[in-house]
Amino acid sequence: MSGSPKYSTVRVTPAYRQREERRRREQQAARRRREAQRARERAELAARRAQETAARRERAQAAAERRRHELAARRAVEQQAHASRLGREEAGAEARRLDEVRDLLVRVRTSGTGVPAGELDELERQVRTLRDRIGHEERLGGAIEELRGRIVLLDRRQDDSGRAADPGAVLAGFERRLAGIGPDAAEHDAEGRQRCLELLGRLRASAGPEGRTRFEALLGTMEHALARHAATAEGRVEAERQREQQVREARRQAEERAAAEAAAEEAAEEAERERLTAALGEAADRLDVVRRSARDAAEDARELADPDLAARIEEALRAVTGPLAAGEAAEALAAVTALEELLPEAEARLDELQLAHTRRMDLGQALQDAMLGEGFAFLGGEDQGERLVLRFERPSGASYETTVATDSGGTPVLVYHVDGEPDVAVEPAPEGAVCDTTEDLLERVHEAVGGQDGFVPDELTWQGKPPSRQARQLPGTEEWTWSR
């Protein structure tokens, strides 16, 4: 035996393989339980997010409905105020015109004419009835002017009965009525006002005794012109009011449309913010479910000597946390999905690594027991991930460093480095290194290992074994081994 490392592959017994298969099934069941637990947590978080989203949506809808009601109420108040203002203005104008009619009636009653009292009382009742109707959203201009005309005709009838009317008083009455139509009447019915002024001028010119006949002939024409002017001006004022109302209504509708468009745009923006917030919340929740497991898996991967797997897991974690911090919802969701898919694969890989680690540790413990049985002292060991290094010493001072490893095919391998044995030469002799003492010692150790119903070491080989023994090349190396 030379100073080169001594090798021995190790066969795993059927009983041990059965135990490993049982352990593998237990690991699979544990993985399924963990994944089911994560799925439940994700479902619970999703349900909670859905409830929160529904609650936020209900609050937003309630707020929007409240704003719509407030807007409608404010609009109704404004419209009512405007209608009330117009009503008050119209009622005031009708009241003034009715006052003129009543004054005219009082003048007829006190003039001492022969008009029957019952007829005058009826006209008085009609004046009171019209006054009671003022302010009830009813146009009374036509009725007032009709009543005025009846009183004027009644006054003219008493003139025809022999009581001469004072032309000056008649002219003053016409002028008051023209003025009472309103200062804006000239704008609304310039032609009618001009006609009334022209007739007033002709009446003034005929007010003398010599023009009495012409004066009386013009009275009916003047009455008709005043009534027509008043009706035309009132109609046009009403038409202008309606146009103004239409303009205000069109402006209000335009403002409402603009407000609705702004509200729709704001709602769309809010919906997008809500969608983004919900997506980011979903990604964060799903990350919380797997974060601890992923970190533990990365740590385990390093401990079990798979740095590439650890790096993949950590990179998958960073792929989620980066977009989350940047508010990139789509990227965060895609990354957390990838992490969720990677985690079961990584856990399965870690379970296999753990089985291999357990196998090395069990083999190492069996070897340690066998070495101690041969009088070796155990100096300590070191777990180096894919290999377990154990150090022993014989009473003679010779040291044995044994590495428990696994070859590329998954077969356990024992590698010995021996120092201080007299039959171990630094360089092999030309005819080969035999050193049966050390070989026999290790074979006894292997027999003791094989007696523990777990592992069966194969033939011990080393570089430089005599060619009289059967030679074969070590798997995956350039070295050769020999058997006796």
Side-chain angles (χ1 to χ4, degrees), residues 61-76:
Q61 290 174 348
E65 189 66 21
R66 184 173 61 254
R67 287 194 296 270
R68 282 195 294 271
H69 285 314
E70 291 173 352
L71 179 61
R74 185 167 60 252
R75 187 184 307 118

Side-chain angles (χ1 to χ4, degrees), residues 30-48:
R31 290 200 303 272
R32 285 193 294 268
R33 287 193 297 270
R34 288 195 299 270
E35 189 57 32
Q37 176 62 28
R38 289 193 286 260
R40 285 193 296 271
E41 292 178 10
R42 284 192 291 266
E44 291 171 359
L45 291 171
R48 187 182 67 190

